[in-house]
Amino acid sequence: MSLRKSKLDLLVRVRYSNPLPAPPCPPKLLDIPTNPLRYAQPAFINAITNDTPLPMIVDAECGMPLDLGRWECLWEEDGDDATLNPDPDNLPSLDPKDRFLLGDPSMSAAPYTNGSIPTTSGTSTPLPPHVPWLRKTEYLSREGVQRTPSSQESKQLLQPIDVSHEAQLRTIEAGFAACTSLDLTTLSHPNKTGVTAVESYEVLPDADIWANAYDLFRFSERPGERPVDTEDPRLDCAILRPMESDGDHFLAYYLTKEDADALEFKEERLAPKRGEENRTTAFHFVRDYETVKIEQEVPNEFLLVLDNGDTGERGPGAYYKNIERKMTLKKKRMNQSDTYADKWQVVHISHVAMSSEEIEERNEALGEVVDPLYLFSRDAEGEVDADGEVDVGGTEMGAEGGAEGDGGIMAEIF
């Protein structure tokens, strides 16, 4: 029978250090040249100083003796306690050395010295700001300068602000005047020195896609069965279908079998054929994805299109559309025991004309950027609050027109 060495229970063996002290003198029978000047350096005794404990001799009163025998009122029943509790109307005179203790540090900008009365003569420096003790020292001087308000800033804060309708119009017009007289050579790149602006665009809402709702999906790894270094034109026309299984909600991912089908589908989507039936495209099931993180509000990310106006349909500008939600997806583990409510292996997609209800809903969403009287029309239908929600018939509805609280798989996922 072969003996096998048992493994250690611990992953790392505990090692205890036992440093040997340095020899006090060179070994015998060896001539080691030593420079005597090294014994005169202050760093020579650092090791001895670090290893020598400092004696802390503290008495019972912790170095602050308090003689309670000076006050007879503490020991006698009818003693006079005027020295401990002076009369508020007849206070004793304060020692000049302690007079500075009654001052308010926040009301005075003069520096305080230990045990001396501050004077107003000479240059006064502000008190250092209250910062945590772990802050780096190079930031303290900056905060002290930034937090010290100048006399000009204090005067501006005290001036009343005109919030009338005419004042707001003047402020808006001044902003347009600054844009028209903008010199591009004065605009420099924030990170790259020497790079200046060449052309400017007006930032406008994209009326062509404003009625659509866009979500941003991020996958933990590239979807599909192809390797990462292979181009896949099918990914930008995939389909995500909400699914449910035993109370869990996830998304089913579909792709076309061939690249030609995806290219033809994108061409028909950009220029659908009118008057004749469009071709049906088959999307096959790939796998399921589950949501890892959902951000319901995306205030700082937009879809931006820079249009030079070459087509002639609209003028040059930077057209934007906000993103409704951001979701991070990862592959869902396949379980044979899952029971799907309605699973499709193939989805056939074709372009059809919109119904009258869909056209009306689209025009209503598009009126937010096309109709100048959009807010007045919504205010006439119902009371609009600060979040852009309107109360119609006792049902609170959002900006997209869908009542909050509607059921369904999509509402559960998003």
Side-chain angles (χ1 to χ4, degrees), residues 181-189 195-197:
S181 60
L182 179 63
D183 187 6
L184 297 180
T185 58
T186 59
L187 299 178
S188 60
H189 197 276
V195 178
T196 58

Side-chain angles (χ1 to χ4, degrees), residues 170-231:
R170 288 195 301 268
T171 305
I172 295 174
E173 293 295 337
F176 284 108
C179 294
T180 55
S181 60
L182 179 63
D183 187 6
L184 297 180
T185 58
T186 59
L187 299 178
S188 60
H189 197 276
N191 299 328
K192 301 179 181 179
T193 58
V195 178
T196 58
V198 178
E199 191 175 356
S200 64
Y201 293 92
E202 295 182 355
V203 181
L204 302 171
D206 196 341
D208 296 341
I209 61 174
W210 191 264
N212 304 333
Y214 291 92
D215 297 334
L216 181 60
F217 293 90
R218 292 180 177 176
F219 294 84
S220 57
E221 56 187 62
R222 180 178 175 176
E225 70 283 357
R226 299 182 183 179
V228 180
D229 54 353
T230 304
E231 184 180 359

